[in-house]
Amino acid sequence: MTQLTDAQTEALYGNRFLTESVPSTAFPQGGMPPTDAFRLLAEDLNLEGDPQRNLATFVTTWMEPEAQRIIAENLHRNFIDHAEYPISAEIEQRCVRMLADLFHAPGQTTGCRTQGSSEAIMLGALSLKWKWKERREAEHASTDRPNLVFGADVHVVWEKFCRYFDVEPRIIPLEVDKYTIGPEDVAPHLDENTIGVVGVLGTTFTGHKDDIAGINQLLLDVKQERGLDIPIHVDGASGAFVWPFLYPESTWDFQLEQVRSINVSGHKYGLVYPGIGWLVFRETSDLAQDLVFYENYLGKTDATFTLNFSTGAALVLAQYYNFVRLGRDGYTYVMRQMQQNAAALAANLRASGRFEVIGDGQEQLPLVAFRLSGEHASYDESDIAWQLSAERGWMVPAYTLPPRAEKVKIMRALVKQTMSREQVERLTRDIADACATLDEKGGTHPAEREQTKMGTGY
Ligand SMILES: *Cc1c(COP(=O)(O)O)cnc(C)c1O
């Protein structure tokens, strides 16, 4: 028999990290063979949540092999190098034009790729602020106290914008049984310092839309009666890839005169892996020119309007892949399939007699928002979320709604492209089993419940 040293047998049959702990604090002095580094990571990630069972996220967890190939083969391309990679830049502009068309832009428009809706919102809201400043300066009026009006149903990024860029947030609270906002809520908050109003298309809480058409009418009246031209920015992070296909008759986009800019996450219902969003302006003039930087970079003049600089081109290409691969028909098919499965899950939950489903008769993202009906004093929605995860690995968040509706706790299951009808039935049974376990053993202490709370806005 060959005599091997311990290190040799280890290299042959396993890897160091089966018995050693991994580097985690000091910057390692020496390196390791690629196989060891690969296995170290693979073994660590084995214990990560499984994205296919993550019903909490809006973000894409599956793309077809051809799309994956486009991504893999273009990871080395830096999107910002427009001079070297003009085709990638042109493909971005094709995507912007297609989105402008989808959102009924009336004429010449502009827009850009971003890291996600958060960057798109920061840029879009900055443009609102700068355009407001231009209007005020033209009237020789003060530009000291800008404010922005939105509902408590927005994503946290809007409050972040207000703090980072020194704008007063005027936040409209929700109510029990009223989880979106409309014109009557907005009206009292408007004045000459309002840089804009935010309308959400598909809230992260229940998947519904604000009354954007109603807010538009209010702002048209305000323009006529008080001479204040207040724009709407639509936060369509999720909804702007859902509404055009599921509810084409619904008006929320550039068909409404005061809607000046729209953001959407390519990595949500645009069906691309995380790292891509879009900002589209109604007309070129809606982008404040002061925010565009013209620079001579690597021998070519380039106009940029971004918060980041270098970033990958792969996901822009993947977005374009989806647009041409699916078209309107394909996106409609995918959205309808998700909607049908969401309806099936909602029907199952209602039929179980345990749950009340929230607003599934209205225009909504393909998801099911639900809560326990009647008295279940021994456990609540957070216990179910925890039990479901412990028993089956499903990630379904439970959370309380924002101020004035904070007494309402709900659960939310995203029903995505890869969720088959069989999985819907299985999830239904698994929820019933989790409840049966809780019927027997009761829930956890309220303080422990708090710790198991999961986020909602992603
Ligand atoms: C997800 C989401 C955001 C943030 O978008 P990212 O693409 O994750 O940066 C903003 N607004 C709404 C309504 C969202 O659903």
Side-chain angles (χ1 to χ4, degrees):
M1 216 178 117
T2 10
Q3 280 303 312
L4 296 177
T5 64
D6 282 355
Q8 283 169 326
T9 45
E10 185 183 83
L12 192 56
Y13 300 115
N15 79 87
R16 278 161 54 194
F17 302 104
L18 293 174
T19 51
E20 260 175 47
S21 49
V22 302
S24 69
T25 49
F27 200 95
Q29 184 61 45
M32 64 180 79
T35 316
D36 282 2
F38 176 81
R39 292 236 188 131
L40 181 172
L41 275 158
E43 279 152 14
D44 259 4
L45 289 172
N46 270 336
L47 298 181
E48 184 98 296
D50 175 1
Q52 295 299 345
R53 276 184 273 186
N54 182 358
L55 308 186
T57 183
F58 286 96
V59 172
T60 303
T61 49
W62 180 85
M63 289 188 79
E64 3 186 66
E66 290 81 359
Q68 296 196 32
R69 193 169 151 198
I70 289 288
I71 293 169
E73 289 176 3
N74 288 283
L75 287 169
H76 55 345
R77 220 176 280 287
N78 184 1
F79 180 74
I80 203 73
D81 292 344
H82 295 164
E84 286 75 10
Y85 306 126
I87 310 292
S88 296
E90 160 59 16
I91 287 176
E92 178 214 31
Q93 288 306 306
R94 286 185 203 164
C95 290
V96 169
R97 290 192 291 267
M98 287 178 179
L99 286 173
D101 177 42
L102 193 64
F103 303 157
H104 302 96
Q108 180 78 16
T109 178
T110 187
C112 58
R113 70 145 292 287
T114 58
Q115 208 57 31
S117 279
S118 299
E119 188 191 1
I121 285 166
M122 294 283 172
L123 289 169
L126 277 172
S127 194
L128 293 181
K129 189 178 170 185
W130 253 250
K131 295 298 286 185
W132 165 82
K133 237 171 87 181
E134 282 172 18
R135 289 195 297 276
R136 296 286 288 169
E137 278 165 359
E139 297 162 358
H140 305 289
S142 152
T143 56
D144 290 346
R145 311 209 47 192
N147 69 69
L148 181 64
V149 178
F150 51 85
D153 57 339
V154 298
H155 188 273
V156 64
V157 61
W158 285 100
E159 282 183 68
K160 220 188 228 182
F161 165 79
C162 287
R163 199 175 307 165
Y164 288 3
F165 294 102
D166 215 10
V167 171
E168 177 203 341
R170 295 198 171 163
I171 308 174
I172 298 153
L174 305 185
E175 307 290 338
V176 172
D177 288 334
K178 184 171 180 302
Y179 308 137
T180 55
I181 61 161
E184 65 290 353
D185 308 306
V186 169
H189 298 282
L190 303 175
D191 61 28
E192 66 285 359
N193 288 318
T194 303
I195 66 170
V197 178
V198 181
V200 185
L201 187 71
T203 73
T204 58
F205 301 102
T206 64
H208 295 106
K209 84 167 189 317
D210 288 337
D211 180 2
I212 300 168
I215 295 171
N216 178 69
Q217 189 53 53
L218 166 74
L219 295 178
L220 287 176
D221 295 345
V222 166
K223 183 154 65 176
Q224 230 194 356
E225 289 156 21
R226 292 161 64 185
L228 297 175
D229 187 5
I230 302 174
I232 301 175
H233 175 98
V234 174
D235 179 354
S238 289
F241 272 121
V242 173
W243 259 257
F245 306 113
L246 286 186
Y247 313 109
E249 303 305 321
S250 179
T251 47
W252 60 272
D253 62 10
F254 295 130
Q255 288 176 90
L256 304 174
E257 193 178 321
Q258 292 307 102
V259 174
R260 315 305 300 190
S261 46
I262 297 172
N263 69 273
V264 61
S265 296
H267 54 218
K268 289 183 175 175
Y269 293 94
L271 308 174
V272 178
Y273 286 141
I276 184 124
W278 299 94
L279 173 63
V280 184
F281 289 94
R282 177 193 191 81
E283 291 176 56
T284 314
S285 59
D286 288 306
L287 164 59
Q289 276 307 307
D290 276 357
L291 295 174
V292 182
F293 278 77
Y294 295 91
E295 56 185 337
N296 191 322
Y297 187 65
L298 303 179
K300 238 187 143 183
T301 307
D302 203 8
T304 56
F305 174 52
T306 58
L307 294 179
N308 302 304
F309 196 68
S310 298
T311 188
L315 299 181
V316 173
L317 307 179
Q319 183 76 81
Y320 183 68
Y321 171 91
N322 275 354
F323 286 179
V324 297
R325 153 83 176 115
L326 293 170
R328 286 177 195 255
D329 292 345
Y331 271 103
T332 304
Y333 170 81
V334 173
M335 299 302 149
R336 284 208 183 127
Q337 166 217 315
M338 294 192 285
Q339 186 184 40
Q340 282 167 18
N341 281 338
L345 179 61
N348 287 351
L349 291 174
R350 205 178 267 120
S352 76
R354 288 178 190 275
F355 297 104
E356 164 195 341
V357 177
I358 297 164
D360 61 333
Q362 303 158 30
E363 293 177 5
Q364 192 182 25
L365 298 172
L367 56 78
V368 185
F370 57 106
R371 57 195 289 223
L372 284 165
S373 53
E375 282 301 304
H376 286 266
S378 70
Y379 62 92
D380 79 355
E381 290 81 358
S382 300
D383 294 309
I384 301 175
W386 192 87
Q387 192 65 35
L388 197 56
S389 158
E391 284 182 12
R392 293 290 178 196
W394 293 113
M395 291 167 255
V396 180
Y399 48 89
T400 52
L401 293 180
R404 291 215 207 142
E406 63 268 79
K407 277 206 221 78
V408 183
K409 193 179 251 194
I410 64 179
M411 299 182 74
R412 184 197 69 199
L414 273 285
V415 177
K416 296 202 295 183
Q417 195 178 5
T418 46
M419 186 167 219
S420 64
R421 191 57 65 91
E422 170 55 24
Q423 282 178 17
V424 167
E425 300 305 330
R426 182 165 290 279
L427 174 63
T428 306
R429 288 196 296 274
D430 291 345
I431 291 173
D433 288 351
C435 291
T437 308
L438 289 167
D439 283 337
E440 253 175 49
K441 71 163 195 181
T444 51
H445 193 268
E448 291 164 47
R449 265 177 212 159
E450 281 311 301
Q451 286 169 10
T452 60
K453 226 155 88 174
M454 289 189 242
T456 62
Y458 47 86

